[in-house]
Structures are given as C-alpha cells and as structure tokens.
C-alpha cells in the first residue's frame, strides 16, 4: 500500500500526541485539514474526518478503542487508518503489550525454500510497510536463529521515524558484533555470561517452560519496562511459541503471488484432528500490496 508523505507524517504525529491523551475522558479527532485534536467530545464534528473513542474499562488489548469515520472520507485514506491505527492506539493499561506477527509468505504458506533462502518473497511495498510498522511500535522481537542467519538490522531505514527497541530471544551466547546501535534486550531461559555488552544492551534471564521461555512472562517484563506494542518478526519457532501461548493479538499475512511446493512454512503448530481445533481469524481485512495481497486479522 502506498502512503503519501502527508499521511505518514500525520501517523507519526498521532503516535506522539496519543501519549498525552487521557483515555478515561478524552477522544481524538482528525479533521478534514488533517489536524489532530484532543477533545472531550464523543461525536464526530461536521469538519471531522474521523474520531477515535476509548473504552477505558477494558483491561486487555481487544476492543479498547473504536473509530467512527466521516461519510466523505476517501476509501484509500480510510484503508490507511484501518491498517496503521491499531499499532498506535494501544491499551497502555493492559497487562501485556499489544503483540502481533507480520509474515511474508507464498500462496502455499512458505517463508523460505528448503535451503533457507527467503529474499525476497515480499515485494518492495511490503518492505516499506514493515518498516512503517517498526516506526510505529515500541519494540521488535526475533529469535536467535533469525538473528544468526539473517543478521537483521531491525531499524527503520526505509521510512522516516524512530527505531524500535530490539528484543532477541536466545538461550545460548550470541555474537553481537552485527548488532545495530540502539536499545536492545536479550532474553534467555538461563544465565548467560557476556564479557561485555554493547551500549544500551541488557541481558535478562526469565523462567522457562521446559526448554523455552514462557512468552506471557516475557511480555509482562516488557510491559514493566514501558513497552506497549511489540512486533514479532520471526522465526517460525518463535512465532509458533507465541501463538501456542495465545500471546498474539493480531496477525498479518503478506501473500506473494508465487508457489514453492516445498520449503519452510511460516507457521507450524501441533497436529489437530478436527476443524474446530483450528485457529479462526476474527474480522479479517485485505489490503493490496503492489502485486501481492495482505490479510490482516485479530486472533
């Protein structure tokens, strides 16, 4: 999805403004002139493009806010808000951060070939979109294998905005030479001794469930550190753990127009016997991403 710089600047400004809103008694209005107003009104004014209303009694990340749009809003502009507002307007009173997954995959659900090659399944628009999300959230998380194999920079070099905090789950010592500058948190299920850590890097040992970290406990730690939104970028085993722990609020599938017929699946869960045991997506919405399609849904 292409987003004009005017609307991207608006979203970045909204991220800053939202930190000052009292969700118990205030709403946010965006006017037709793209001005952001913190208001005590709860009805969309005649010059309003949209209004964001909050339900402060909600203690989780679901149904925390609602958006009312003007009848005159253009369809493509509404799509921008539908896609990006949920990453900005998160419930800061929830017990854990708003957490979500973004997966670029083929039509048959593969994120890499059998040999591990994955560049580039997603197209250029998806790459820019992924960096927009990074700029809107507080933190981004990857597992150790993804960090070792891909050496991701986890920054926002393709868009204007601030880099998120980097979170890496690793139960063995990592080579941190490729770690990009910025705040980083290393989680493990055992005490790992680093002779020295890069500046603004912290190592945290957290209680384990067998050989893996309990993701809900990890999320609670992040919340205590003031992290209210978290993008989980991979890999497949990390995504699997978060899904199985029911620690995901939202999921995005960027579906590229290609078929591998073999390779690595983006999501691999325990086998089920009945259809009812499958995960049912709630109110999925589709977005055009260049020559590809993206499906976004709550879980």
């Amino acid at each position: 999805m292409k987003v004009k710089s005017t609307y991207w600047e608006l979203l970045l400004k909204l991220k800053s403004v939202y930190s000052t809103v009292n969700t118990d008694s205030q709403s946010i209005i965006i006017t037709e002139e793209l001005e952001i107003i913190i208001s005590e009104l709860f009805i969309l004014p005649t010059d309003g493009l949209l209004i964001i209303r909050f339900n402060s009694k909600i203690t989780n990340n679901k149904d925390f806010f609602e958006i009312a749009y003007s009848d005159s809003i253009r369809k493509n502009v509404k799509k921008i808000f539908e896609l990006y507002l949920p990453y900005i307007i998160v419930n800061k009173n929830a017990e854990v951060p708003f957490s979500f997954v973004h997966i670029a995959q083929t039509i048959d659900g593969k994120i890499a070939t059998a040999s591990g090659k994955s560049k580039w399944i997603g197209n250029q628009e998806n790459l820019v979109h992924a960096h927009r999300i990074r700029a809107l959230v507080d933190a981004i998380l990857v597992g150790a294998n993804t960090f070792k194999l891909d050496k991701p920079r986890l920054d926002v070099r393709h868009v204007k905005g601030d880099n998120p905090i980097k979170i890496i789950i690793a139960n063995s010592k990592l080579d941190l030479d490729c770690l990009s500058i910025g705040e980083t948190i290393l989680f493990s299920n055992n005490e790992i001794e680093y002779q020295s850590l890069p500046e603004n890097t912290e190592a945290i040992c957290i209680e384990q469930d067998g050989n893996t970290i309990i993701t809900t406990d990890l999320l609670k730690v992040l919340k205590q550190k003031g992290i209210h939104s978290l993008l989980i970028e991979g890999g497949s085993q990390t995504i699997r753990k978060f899904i199985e722990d029911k620690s995901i609020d939202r999921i995005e599938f960027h579906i590229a127009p290609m078929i591998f017929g073999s390779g690595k699946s983006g999501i691999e869960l325990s086998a089920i016997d009945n259809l009812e045991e499958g995960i049912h997506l709630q109110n999925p919405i589709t977005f055009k991403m260049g020559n590809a399609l993206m499906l976004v849904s709550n879980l």
Side-chain angles (χ1 to χ4, degrees):
M1 173 184 288
K2 295 186 182 299
V3 177
K4 290 183 178 180
S5 59
T6 302
Y7 291 106
W8 180 240
E9 294 281 357
L10 176 68
L11 291 170
L12 291 177
K13 183 179 179 182
L14 181 60
K15 178 184 177 181
S16 176
V17 168
Y18 177 55
S19 64
T20 68
V21 174
N22 182 346
T23 57
D24 289 328
S25 59
Q26 296 176 323
S27 64
I28 299 175
I29 295 170
I30 297 180
T31 69
E32 293 177 347
E33 288 75 29
L34 301 185
E35 295 180 351
I36 300 173
I37 299 174
I38 298 175
S39 174
E40 294 182 357
L41 296 175
F42 295 94
I43 298 175
L44 184 66
T46 55
D47 65 340
L49 197 63
L50 64 86
I51 184 170
I52 304 170
R53 296 185 285 250
F54 306 97
N55 186 347
S56 59
K57 295 180 180 180
I58 295 292
T59 58
N60 54 38
N61 288 306
K62 185 178 180 182
D63 302 323
F64 167 63
F65 72 95
E66 65 174 7
I67 307 171
Y69 294 97
S70 165
D71 292 336
S72 63
I73 190 170
R74 298 198 308 274
K75 191 176 295 186
N76 64 319
V77 174
K78 184 179 179 181
K79 281 281 191 180
I80 292 171
F81 291 124
E82 285 179 335
L83 181 54
Y84 291 110
L85 284 185
Y87 305 124
I88 301 172
I89 311 299
V90 296
N91 189 355
K92 296 182 180 180
N93 294 320
E95 186 179 20
V96 295
F98 173 77
S99 305
F100 61 98
V101 171
H102 176 84
I103 300 173
Q105 64 176 45
T106 62
I107 291 174
D108 55 340
K110 305 302 179 184
I111 61 169
T113 64
S115 62
K117 295 180 180 178
S118 61
K119 293 183 179 181
W120 296 97
I121 290 177
N123 57 24
Q124 181 65 24
E125 283 192 29
N126 180 67
L127 178 62
V128 173
H129 164 70
H131 282 238
R132 290 192 194 114
I133 297 176
R134 292 178 180 183
L136 295 178
V137 301
D138 294 328
I140 179 172
L141 181 147
V142 296
N145 287 338
T146 297
F147 181 77
K148 291 174 183 176
L149 293 174
D150 296 344
K151 294 181 173 54
R153 291 166 61 179
L154 306 179
D155 59 17
V156 296
R157 60 192 179 278
H158 290 286
V159 299
K160 181 179 179 180
D162 296 327
N163 291 329
I165 298 170
K166 298 183 288 295
I167 315 293
I168 305 170
I169 300 177
N171 294 325
S172 59
K173 196 171 181 179
L174 291 175
D175 178 0
L176 300 176
D177 289 343
C178 67
L179 192 64
S180 58
I181 296 173
E183 186 174 353
T184 305
I185 303 174
L186 307 175
F187 279 100
S188 66
N189 62 14
N190 57 80
E191 295 287 352
I192 300 175
E193 292 189 9
Y194 287 94
Q195 290 183 346
S196 63
L197 288 172
E199 187 178 358
N200 296 323
T201 300
E202 179 182 8
I204 297 176
C205 176
I206 199 166
E207 184 180 351
Q208 65 183 46
D209 176 16
N211 292 321
T212 59
I213 288 174
I214 300 171
T215 59
T216 50
D217 290 345
L218 181 151
L219 291 175
K220 289 176 183 177
V221 172
L222 294 182
K223 190 72 174 186
Q224 292 168 1
K225 290 181 170 294
I227 293 172
H228 303 293
S229 53
L230 176 69
L231 167 61
I232 301 159
E233 280 205 353
S236 61
Q237 292 305 308
T238 300
I239 292 172
R240 172 177 180 166
K241 180 60 176 170
F242 273 86
I243 291 177
E244 289 183 339
D245 288 352
K246 297 183 179 179
S247 299
I248 298 293
D249 296 297
R250 184 174 168 101
I251 192 164
E252 292 186 358
F253 292 101
H254 175 89
I255 305 170
M258 62 176 72
I259 297 171
F260 283 1
S262 63
K264 299 182 179 181
S265 298
I267 297 178
E268 295 180 347
L269 304 176
S270 301
I272 61 173
D273 295 320
N274 302 307
L275 296 180
E276 293 77 13
E277 298 176 73
I279 297 173
H280 295 266
L281 303 184
Q282 301 175 23
N283 304 316
I285 305 174
T286 57
F287 298 87
K288 192 79 166 59
M289 284 284 176
N291 67 339
L293 187 70
M294 189 170 72
L295 186 145
V296 180
S297 177
N298 296 329
L299 290 178

